[in-house]
Amino acid sequence: MDSIKENDYVLLYLDEKRKYLVKAEKGNKFHTHKGFILIDEIIGKRYGSSVKSSSGWDFLLLKPTIRDFIIKLARKTQIIYPKDAGYIALISGITSGSKVVEIGTGSGALTCVLASLVRPEGHVYSYEMREEFFNLAKLNIEKLGLSNYVTLKLKNAKEGIDEENVDSIVIDIADPWEVLENAYRSLRDSGIIVVFSPTVNQIEKTVRALREKNFVDIHVTEIIEREYQAEPEKLRPKTSMIAHTGYITWARKSVE
Amino acid sequence: MDSIKENDYVLLYLDEKRKYLVKAEKGNKFHTHKGFILIDEIIGKRYGSSVKSSSGWDFLLLKPTIRDFIIKLARKTQIIYPKDAGYIALISGITSGSKVVEIGTGSGALTCVLASLVRPEGHVYSYEMREEFFNLAKLNIEKLGLSNYVTLKLKNAKEGIDEENVDSIVIDIADPWEVLENAYRSLRDSGIIVVFSPTVNQIEKTVRALREKNFVDIHVTEIIEREYQAEPEKLRPKTSMIAHTGYITWARKSVE
Amino acid sequence: MDSIKENDYVLLYLDEKRKYLVKAEKGNKFHTHKGFILIDEIIGKRYGSSVKSSSGWDFLLLKPTIRDFIIKLARKTQIIYPKDAGYIALISGITSGSKVVEIGTGSGALTCVLASLVRPEGHVYSYEMREEFFNLAKLNIEKLGLSNYVTLKLKNAKEGIDEENVDSIVIDIADPWEVLENAYRSLRDSGIIVVFSPTVNQIEKTVRALREKNFVDIHVTEIIEREYQAEPEKLRPKTSMIAHTGYITWARKSVE
Amino acid sequence: MDSIKENDYVLLYLDEKRKYLVKAEKGNKFHTHKGFILIDEIIGKRYGSSVKSSSGWDFLLLKPTIRDFIIKLARKTQIIYPKDAGYIALISGITSGSKVVEIGTGSGALTCVLASLVRPEGHVYSYEMREEFFNLAKLNIEKLGLSNYVTLKLKNAKEGIDEENVDSIVIDIADPWEVLENAYRSLRDSGIIVVFSPTVNQIEKTVRALREKNFVDIHVTEIIEREYQAEPEKLRPKTSMIAHTGYITWARKSVE
């Protein structure tokens, strides 16, 4: 049995459209369109069980995963999607113990995914030049309890990357080609660089710059998620979908 | 500087189509269609540098990542693709320290991805009933140095899953609905179950069984990877692609 | 020069989101969120020129095509999409002079596409059992001036198809397998049958029935349209898209 | 009953992979990997019936449609795919009676689709500057019996388009932006222009040129076909697919 403890984050689930990420703070009330929920009533309950709202609706009490967090994080930018975050994680070779640089922290969603991969011994150094995002990301990373694995830097990576011998660098800024020279220097031999960008114009410039800067094994790819209605009698893709988030360009550092 | 040591695995890279995963064993020769490479010549060289084959071709010496391993692993079944492995990793919530059950080890590719996520404190228990695959997976997992994080079981999970209070269960067998009852019992409260299956007929039955067995928040989805030619002047998707590997169905355990 | 004549249909175009199909009836006013347009002012103007609304917005006066009509037709059902209509037209082999049966007229959008293909010598016989749709389709077909090429039948095709030696049959009803026997009898030797259906459960049953009923060269396919932002500096797919309309199953009649 | 006549084209069908387009010429033999077929034996047989090859295999005798012809046409270039041809036909507004210009005849496959749409009263004027393709297209168009509806021109459309007041122009050449000025002049008011091109670099330039040349309602889109295995018990998309043929850019002529 796995029970909800004070200050845990809980995913209150009514249905696919109504899921809420809530901190179990004593004395609080959480308001939904289907009535409120008294937090004191959920502390001590089993995960996977349910609670009744004041209007009589049953909300399931689920234990949030990293996916739930990145979908529900406070955001000021386009958030990274699970489909892209999972793929980037895999191709970047980032794993427990990796030393990673991220350029363009944004709201910190991808930062959290990377941090969850490198722990307990690895570390993520994340560059963000806009103070507003720097502060937001800080809060988000704390929310997930990942602050020990991340150093946030309020700094423009074009002016220098401080870390050396880095395993992987993940870039999500509008002009990635501007930081490739610094990224090359910062990477370990054969290290991996990943660039996420929404337009084909950006890919064009990024690939050109990667070639010039001595990166090899250059890939450009796109991950598309197509969800289905989970109805056994009427099985079909959902009518509409997110058609595009961004392209993933990645390559490795050659030392020739 | 990061140099190749004896018995390291190295990715010999000529071009997109010609990449070879080679163990740096002293005294060996590695034969390609473009001549052979003397392994003694590569030991001690920097990763990211290159070596000349006997016919004068330059092969880059890259450090393989988990992606390279799962693509190049010895296989007797359809291997898991990076696009699917990355997504499953993310939605399953598997992270450093997780306790995971896998049903249907196959060649062990996904097992390796899961093991690389749970280390150093977590563990993967993987069930395979066909001795041939059990043995192959064992070798593959050793190859990646992940044996400490995996317990392989030559056992039909339909006859019972030994582990309790498991964080996540990942299933890749032809009749996943047959193991859902055992999976439910083995999972911790609110734990996550992921099923990978190639046909819509399998989804139909799986979703039906998940509903009956008290799983909630059921999703059916599909991850599609579309690769582009990395040519800045002729940027376009590659002409052909893998159109389908399998559908990913996932859900959480409710205890109501 | 090609000028707008009284009672022509005109596509009033402000931008991608604001296009209106309007009949040029003397004395009328057409109201939009950007002011009204006096129809008398557009009669006699050149197609491709523009007119000012009462609030000073310039609306282009475009000549509608069959695509504009089927998108803008009055509808009570899911309308057929151009991507599907174009594909069905091509694989069905329907051309000028063809004799076609349609089962499930719905709002008549696909009927209009088929009618525009068979004219001037061919004919479309379209079956609809719900009076409400029968009447709506009638109006829509008249609107496009295609009534001469269509015979609408308020009849359940399960109870019989009156036409013989038909070139192609196009089916868009919920239970297509129920009409396959009649369709087989009605088709000419080697004639083509096309079935449009939204769920995989329907495909399963349709393919099974086609096999039993002596149809050959059975195909199941899906046409997906992915639109791009037409912005040269920020070229990328649109963020969201219609992910699914329906599957297209088609086959030919064998006489063995 | 619909019987095969001398000199008809027949689609000999063994299975999905083995389909042959054959002219029923008296006295001929058609050789396949499964034995030969005596043409004299098929003349007079019913369409939809079958014939035995010399090795005892049953080949179905199907009546080819425009789709079968364009797939099987002799080609020296990338042929147009049915998914693209059907969509272009629909959005171009081309119908019985239309006057159409095509720039870039290639092997003539799309020319045939357009000709089959405009007949009996309309006409297609198709420009091709390479003599080799001009000759090949001529043969292909004759094969389909569509010569009456097509005027082939061995001419570079950049040097002028002779036709005026054209309903639609369809362009499939490497540098479409070079002919847009002539195309604009040739089109009727509010006429439609369609450009087919494989790379994003081409779209970028085409959209820019369309904007400058006073075209409006500019669209960029892509049609993707995903085929399924037609097996009711193992229903799933085919493993591999054509991932990309080309992008379709289209717009209308404004006269402002």
Side-chain angles (χ1 to χ4, degrees), chain B residues 198-201 222 224 226 228 231-245 247, chain D residues 198-201 222 224 226 228 231-245 247:
Chain B
T199 75
V200 298
N201 317 72
E222 197 186 0
I224 298 166
R226 196 180 193 202
Y228 285 67
E231 294 180 29
E233 326 291 336
K234 289 191 171 190
L235 196 56
R236 44 162 291 178
K238 291 186 178 174
T239 296
S240 65
M241 73 184 234
I242 297 298
H244 184 66
T245 52
Y247 301 99
Chain D
T199 75
V200 297
N201 317 72
E222 197 186 0
I224 299 166
R226 195 179 194 203
Y228 285 68
E231 294 180 29
E233 326 291 337
K234 289 190 171 191
L235 196 57
R236 43 161 292 177
K238 290 187 179 175
T239 296
S240 65
M241 73 185 232
I242 298 298
H244 183 66
T245 53
Y247 300 99

Side-chain angles (χ1 to χ4, degrees), chain A residues 3-11 21-29 38-45 47 62-64 69 141-145:
Chain A
S3 300
I4 297 167
K5 287 182 293 294
E6 203 183 330
N7 295 326
D8 271 7
Y9 278 92
V10 178
L11 190 71
L21 192 60
V22 176
K23 192 171 181 181
E25 290 178 299
K26 252 192 178 152
N28 274 5
K29 260 187 203 176
L38 293 171
I39 299 301
D40 290 1
E41 276 187 22
I42 72 172
I43 296 176
K45 290 202 81 166
Y47 278 108
L62 303 176
K63 193 166 192 168
F69 276 108
I141 295 163
E142 279 166 11
K143 206 168 175 176
L144 275 82

Side-chain angles (χ1 to χ4, degrees), chain C residues 87-157:
Chain C
Y87 188 81
I88 290 172
L90 200 94
I91 53 152
S92 67
I94 297 171
T95 186
S96 187
S98 296
K99 182 177 174 186
V100 176
V101 163
E102 183 189 34
I103 300 174
T105 317
S107 302
L110 185 54
T111 321
C112 289
V113 174
L114 301 177
S116 79
L117 289 165
V118 302
R119 69 181 163 185
E121 300 297 332
H123 205 80
V124 178
Y125 302 86
S126 187
Y127 288 73
E128 176 55 57
M129 49 186 292
R130 296 159 301 174
E131 199 160 354
E132 173 189 14
F133 287 103
F134 176 85
N135 291 328
L136 175 63
K138 201 155 175 286
L139 290 175
N140 281 332
I141 294 163
E142 279 166 10
K143 205 167 176 177
L144 274 82
L146 292 165
S147 304
N148 284 346
Y149 314 109
V150 181
T151 302
L152 276 181
K153 300 189 157 191
L154 184 58
K155 182 178 171 184
N156 186 343

